[in-house]
């Protein structure tokens, strides 16, 4: 029996998730929830860039979506700048007895000891009471710093440290809210953006290091954070807008899970708006960007995951990976026990990858 699906949000990730649902014979799209009146009434195929028509049109009517009673909602709406609204969306969907796979809020990837209970408890309670599940994942936070390191860790005799890295040129990532408003690129270095306010990095990626620690059977003493920013040597333009000389153009940060004063689980991001910036910082394995898992122990591991696509660059490939990571998890999440689920809870299901018929 096919699972009946609603896609909620059709932005950079959502339109790719929508395409993933439309092209999966095991999934039946029954609704699309959009926030823009300009998208309301458009056919799902048009929103996803798929030829033809599906007969399913987008709506801004939340109640109409809930009344469809789908088996699962694919939630990809922007959450970074509307956190409380996103949490209420998820609580409401779960309370209606509908499973959810989502790309955000990212701390729900593994929220325990990461966020105040008042943020996650209503989500957990709604899911358990209604007998449904929520799974939040993607590429980062997600696959590149949970399933990949877990696979390597399973072969180790000893683990001293697990370090998960994103090393990416964001110049082609077209999202002004993330690039400028949240990450603070293009702003004077004296201005501290939302992402770098005290505790925000640990909120966003603390779930990563705590889940890695849980996978090792370790309880962290604390989670710490550090960052460094560099200015643009001259003015230039990226997909999201203009970067003036002297404003923030490169960012490197770490979120560290500490035990006994030692970092045992580390999430590191190296973000550039131009490939030639900060040449002394770690470099990607492939032009544009890559993810790296580095395990120090017995044995040592360095694993590089480079992403690219026939339909776009490395940033497009990462968006596809984020979207399909959650779409492909739908059957396992629908079958899971109620509540907040993590990668540690779900089976590895390689059969959910799609074999090309072309």
């Amino acid at each position: 029996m096919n699972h009946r699906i609603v896609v909620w949000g059709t932005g950079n990730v959502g339109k790719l998730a929508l395409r993933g649902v439309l092209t999966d014979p095991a999934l039946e799209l029954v609704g699309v929830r959009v926030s823009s009146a300009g998208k309301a009434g458009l056919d799902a195929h048009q929103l996803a860039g798929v030829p033809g028509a599906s007969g399913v049109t987008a709506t801004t009517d939340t109640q109409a979506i809930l009344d469809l009673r789908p088996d699962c909602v694919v939630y990809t709406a922007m959450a970074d700048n509307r956190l409380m609204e996103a949490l209420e969306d998820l609580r409401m969907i779960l309370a209606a007895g509908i499973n959810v796979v989502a790309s955000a809020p990212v701390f729900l990837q593994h929220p325990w000891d990461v966020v105040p209970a008042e943020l996650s408890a209503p989500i957990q309670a709604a899911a358990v009471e209604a007998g449904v599940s929520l799974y939040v994942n993607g590429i980062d936070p997600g696959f590149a710093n949970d399933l990949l390191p877990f696979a390597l860790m399973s072969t180790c005799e000893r683990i001293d440290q697990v370090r998960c890295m994103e090393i990416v040129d964001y110049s082609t990532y077209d999202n002004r809210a993330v690039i400028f408003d949240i990450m603070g690129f293009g702003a004077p270095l004296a201005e501290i953006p939302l992402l770098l306010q005290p505790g925000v990095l640990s909120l966003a990626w603390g779930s990563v290091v705590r889940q890695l620690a849980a996978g090792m059977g370790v309880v962290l003493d604390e989670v710490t954070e550090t960052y460094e920013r560099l200015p643009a040597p001259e003015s230039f333009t990226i997909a999201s807008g203009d970067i003036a000389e002297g404003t923030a153009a490169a960012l490197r940060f770490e979120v560290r899970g500490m035990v006994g004063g030692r970092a045992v689980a580390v999430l590191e991001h190296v973000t550039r708006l131009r490939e030639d910036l900060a040449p002394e910082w770690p470099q990607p394995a492939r032009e544009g960007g890559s993810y790296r898992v580095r395990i120090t122990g017995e044995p040592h591991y360095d694993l590089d995951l480079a992403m690219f696509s026939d339909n776009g660059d490395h940033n497009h490939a990462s968006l596809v990976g984020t979207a399909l990571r959650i779409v492909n998890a739908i059957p396992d999440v629908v079958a899971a026990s109620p509540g907040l689920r993590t990668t540690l809870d779900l089976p590895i299901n390689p059969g959910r990858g799609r074999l090309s018929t072309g």
Side-chain angles (χ1 to χ4, degrees), residues 302-319:
D302 269 349
L303 175 66
D304 283 305
L305 176 70
M307 54 282 189
F308 49 99
S309 168
D310 293 334
N311 300 307
D313 68 358
H314 59 285
N315 282 314
H316 172 77
S318 291
L319 291 171

Side-chain angles (χ1 to χ4, degrees), residues 6-9 73-79 82 85-87 89-90 93 100-105 326:
V6 161
V7 173
W8 190 306
V73 164
V74 181
Y75 186 89
T76 64
M78 185 71 171
R82 48 181 296 279
E85 293 92 333
L87 290 172
D89 286 345
L90 294 176
I93 297 167
V100 183
V101 295
S103 58
I326 57 175

Side-chain angles (χ1 to χ4, degrees), residues 44-346:
H45 276 214
Q46 184 177 355
L47 291 168
V50 174
S54 68
V56 177
T57 56
T59 182
T60 58
D61 187 338
T62 296
Q63 190 57 52
I65 288 293
L66 298 179
D67 288 345
L68 291 170
R69 292 293 185 266
D71 298 305
C72 189
V73 164
V74 181
Y75 186 89
T76 64
M78 185 71 171
D80 292 342
N81 58 359
R82 48 181 296 279
L83 176 59
M84 300 311 296
E85 293 92 333
L87 290 172
E88 175 56 22
D89 286 345
L90 294 176
R91 188 207 62 77
M92 175 179 57
I93 297 167
L94 294 165
I98 303 167
N99 297 283
V100 183
V101 295
S103 58
V106 294
F107 60 72
L108 291 177
Q109 176 202 23
H110 189 274
W112 296 279
D113 299 318
V114 176
V115 296
E118 58 265 26
L119 293 182
S120 60
I123 304 290
Q124 171 75 357
V128 171
E129 183 174 346
V132 292
S133 301
L134 166 67
Y135 178 62
V136 177
N137 214 258
I139 289 292
D140 184 338
F143 176 77
N145 39 56
D146 58 31
L147 199 55
L148 278 188
F150 288 155
L152 294 179
M153 289 158 59
S154 71
T155 70
C156 289
E157 176 187 339
R158 187 190 78 250
I159 300 170
D160 300 326
Q161 184 188 85
V162 179
R163 178 178 293 266
C164 298
M165 306 171 68
E166 179 189 88
I167 311 168
V168 175
D169 176 353
Y170 270 35
S171 62
T172 62
Y173 183 50
D174 190 6
N175 189 322
R176 288 189 60 88
V178 170
I179 295 293
F180 292 110
D181 300 340
I182 295 171
M183 301 187 75
F185 286 117
L189 294 178
E191 294 182 8
I192 307 302
L194 174 62
L195 183 66
L196 302 179
Q197 294 292 325
V200 174
L201 287 173
S202 295
L203 175 64
W205 282 277
S207 60
V208 169
V209 297
R210 290 194 182 276
Q211 184 168 234
L212 288 171
M216 290 187 279
V218 171
V219 176
L220 298 178
D221 296 333
E222 61 176 339
V223 173
T224 65
E225 58 189 52
T226 183
Y227 69 85
E228 178 182 2
R229 293 195 292 169
L230 294 179
E234 60 196 16
S235 297
F236 59 93
T237 299
I238 61 173
S240 293
D242 296 327
I243 305 297
E245 179 181 353
T247 63
L251 169 65
R252 182 181 184 181
F253 68 77
E254 290 186 3
V255 179
R256 302 168 177 160
M258 309 295 293
V259 175
R262 179 168 62 90
V264 298
V266 181
L267 184 285
E268 178 179 0
H269 275 209
V270 177
T271 307
R272 299 176 172 93
L273 297 187
R274 218 169 62 182
E275 289 187 343
D276 63 331
L277 298 176
E280 71 279 11
W281 290 358
Q283 295 292 331
R286 182 185 174 97
E287 181 181 355
S290 64
Y291 294 95
R292 180 169 298 149
V293 179
R294 173 167 291 166
I295 294 182
T296 306
E298 178 57 33
H300 302 298
Y301 281 111
D302 269 349
L303 175 66
D304 283 305
L305 176 70
M307 54 282 189
F308 49 99
S309 168
D310 293 334
N311 300 307
D313 68 358
H314 59 285
N315 282 314
H316 172 77
S318 291
L319 291 171
V320 174
T322 292
L324 272 296
R325 175 71 168 144
I326 57 175
V327 169
N328 287 339
I330 288 172
D332 291 330
V333 173
V334 171
S337 57
L340 286 167
R341 303 270 64 89
T342 77
T343 295
L344 291 169
D345 302 316
L346 299 184

